[in-house]
Amino acid sequence: SSKWAPYLKVLPTRFHTTCEYSMPELRQLQGSVLEEETVARQKLFYNEFAALFPLLPQKYPHFFKAELCTFIAYKYARLVVQTRAFGMHVDGRVIVGIVPFGDMFNHHPEAKVSWKYDHASNSFRMYTEEAYTKGSQIFNNYGPRSNRRLLLDFGFVIQDNPFDFIEIPAPVSADNFVQKNQILEERGLDPGKRSFSVRLGEIPEEMMFTIRVARATEEELTSYRRSTQLAPSSNGAKLVPHFNSSISVRNEIAALGWLQSTCDALVGKYPDSYEDDVSLLQNGNSLSRALTNSILVRLAEKRIYKFLQSFATAHTDLLNYFTRYLTTNPLTNSRLSLTSAEYMRNVLLPLQRTILETAVAEAQPRN
């Protein structure tokens, strides 16, 4: 008899989020942060249920019949809201509401769409900011969400998600804490930051500078601070060095080595290799939906790790090569050093983009 009955009848019986994964399915996420996030979300559901029941049946017996308020029923209702609700501003407050029909649009990360509650007509309105041809699918946009977040919150993933990322833990300094923290603070960085988000093809400057400072010796720190003292410009203003400054050749090799070993350790937490996952997708026509989604999530993460590993290896080899060339070549002299410097500036530095593009290409799955 409810006016919502037609809508309730078409709601899915399962939402395919990782919150519904069985233990064997959850083990497919081993190595990914999504495994920990899923366990935390499941515990949140249990804690919410324990806090709300039996209080709600006692206070509102007409709406909440005790015998029907099981955890299974609560979890289903909770997932309906999690996977389908919209946030909107109503009378100055942010309201979360279910919008029948509005929740049927699929997500596309590039769709230009907006929505709002229209007070004058007491209705929820959705707007597209791009043209659609007759018969084409109309998309919603859930925002810049990684596959990790999409699978946890909504129960699906998208191919080649541009918002996929991994988190690299911040390095821990073994000594000279005060001096290193001062350098970071002088560059406007947070010494207490615990991790850095990295997407495919990106090398965050903040991350690299933090690693350099963490791996610097006391002599390197002293020399670096001396070389980057604030200097007056032609108009008398103080010049602040950019925080992407390198510290020394030895330090840069050490920083790249730390990045390489950290990625190696994080990749080692996955039970299957990058190549194994690619093979599973290419040959797994009978894979379950849960397994396919899990593979796509962990494969995207491994692809970023692989990019960082290739980047670290390539640039470490480059630095080692020039260090050996300029220090062991018997013909090394001031003219040769000058020639090499010009070659690096005019030829090698412009090729840096090519090196990065090669590293990204190596991280892509091969058909």
Side-chain angles (χ1 to χ4, degrees):
S1 61
S2 169
K3 68 177 181 178
W4 303 110
Y7 171 70
L8 296 175
K9 288 180 180 178
V10 300
L11 286 176
T13 57
R14 187 181 180 187
F15 301 97
H16 301 285
T17 78
T18 56
C19 300
E20 296 183 296
Y21 274 21
S22 64
M23 289 305 297
E25 289 173 334
L26 192 58
R27 280 196 290 270
Q28 296 299 327
L29 293 171
Q30 182 180 339
S32 173
V33 177
L34 181 53
E35 181 184 25
E36 300 174 9
E37 292 175 332
T38 299
V39 172
R41 184 69 60 86
Q42 291 173 337
K43 288 182 179 178
L44 175 65
F45 288 176
Y46 278 111
N47 293 337
E48 289 175 344
F49 178 76
L52 292 172
F53 299 93
L55 296 180
L56 287 180
Q58 293 172 357
K59 190 169 184 179
Y60 305 102
H62 179 70
F63 295 104
F64 299 95
K65 298 186 182 299
E67 65 274 14
L68 300 179
C69 294
T70 64
F71 176 72
I72 293 177
Y74 172 76
K75 183 178 179 180
Y76 176 82
R78 180 67 163 77
L79 287 173
V80 168
V81 175
Q82 175 179 297
T83 60
R84 313 185 85 77
F86 287 81
M88 63 196 90
H89 292 272
V90 180
D91 297 329
R93 296 185 301 157
V94 176
I95 301 296
V96 176
I98 298 294
V99 182
F101 185 71
D103 57 5
M104 294 184 179
F105 296 105
N106 287 326
H107 164 70
H108 194 289
E110 297 179 359
K112 296 179 176 62
V113 62
S114 61
W115 62 78
K116 71 174 184 178
Y117 169 75
D118 185 70
H119 189 78
S121 61
N122 189 30
S123 62
F124 179 86
R125 294 181 177 271
M126 297 185 72
Y127 304 87
T128 177
E129 301 172 11
E130 55 189 344
Y132 282 91
T133 59
K134 183 178 179 179
S136 60
Q137 182 176 178
I138 299 175
F139 289 96
N140 191 0
N141 190 333
Y142 299 177
R145 299 175 185 267
S146 65
N147 276 345
R148 197 174 96 195
R149 184 59 56 194
L150 290 175
L151 189 55
L152 175 65
D153 290 341
F154 303 104
F156 68 91
V157 300
I158 58 177
Q159 290 280 358
D160 301 319
N161 190 334
F163 300 107
D164 280 331
F165 69 94
I166 59 171
E167 293 171 356
I168 297 296
V172 178
S173 300
D175 50 21
N176 300 304
F177 303 108
V178 175
Q179 191 175 5
K180 291 178 178 180
N181 287 348
Q182 287 177 343
I183 291 177
L184 293 176
E185 289 172 350
E186 288 170 359
R187 300 298 175 265
L189 305 179
D190 178 12
K193 188 164 185 175
R194 302 182 65 179
S195 65
F196 299 92
S197 297
V198 183
R199 295 197 294 188
L200 184 64
E202 295 181 352
I203 304 293
E205 296 178 345
E206 180 184 6
M207 177 187 73
M208 285 307 302
F209 186 77
T210 302
I211 298 173
R212 290 177 187 129
V213 172
R215 310 312 295 172
T217 64
E218 184 174 1
E219 293 75 18
E220 287 171 336
L221 293 172
T222 302
S223 176
Y224 177 77
R225 297 200 73 176
R226 187 184 305 116
S227 67
T228 58
Q229 292 297 314
L230 300 184
S233 64
S234 58
N235 61 5
K238 294 292 185 179
L239 297 178
V240 180
H242 194 272
F243 67 72
N244 194 35
S245 306
S246 59
I247 293 178
S248 72
V249 173
R250 187 218 67 83
N251 175 263
E252 193 67 17
I253 292 174
L256 290 170
W258 182 91
L259 181 62
Q260 173 80 57
S261 61
T262 298
C263 289
D264 291 346
L266 293 171
V267 169
K269 294 182 178 181
Y270 296 95
D272 301 299
S273 69
Y274 175 87
E275 291 74 19
D276 290 337
D277 283 347
V278 172
S279 178
L280 280 172
L281 286 180
Q282 290 176 339
N283 305 310
N285 295 327
S286 60
L287 296 178
S288 68
R289 177 171 178 172
L291 180 54
T292 299
N293 287 342
S294 296
I295 293 173
L296 287 171
V297 167
R298 69 195 194 205
L299 187 60
E301 295 172 348
K302 293 175 188 177
R303 190 172 298 152
I304 303 174
Y305 285 125
K306 191 174 179 67
F307 160 73
L308 292 177
Q309 291 169 318
S310 298
F311 176 90
T313 299
H315 289 80
T316 298
D317 291 345
L318 192 64
L319 286 169
N320 282 326
Y321 170 77
F322 283 110
T323 300
R324 289 194 301 269
Y325 179 80
L326 293 176
T327 57
T328 63
N329 194 310
L331 299 178
T332 297
N333 53 44
S334 59
R335 180 176 295 277
L336 180 60
S337 298
L338 179 61
T339 301
S340 296
E342 291 176 348
Y343 179 72
M344 279 192 254
R345 181 180 66 249
N346 298 327
V347 179
L348 295 182
L349 291 181
L351 287 175
Q352 183 182 22
R353 184 177 182 84
T354 302
I355 295 174
L356 283 172
E357 291 174 348
T358 300
V360 172
E362 290 179 353
Q364 299 297 326
R366 294 179 173 82
N367 295 326

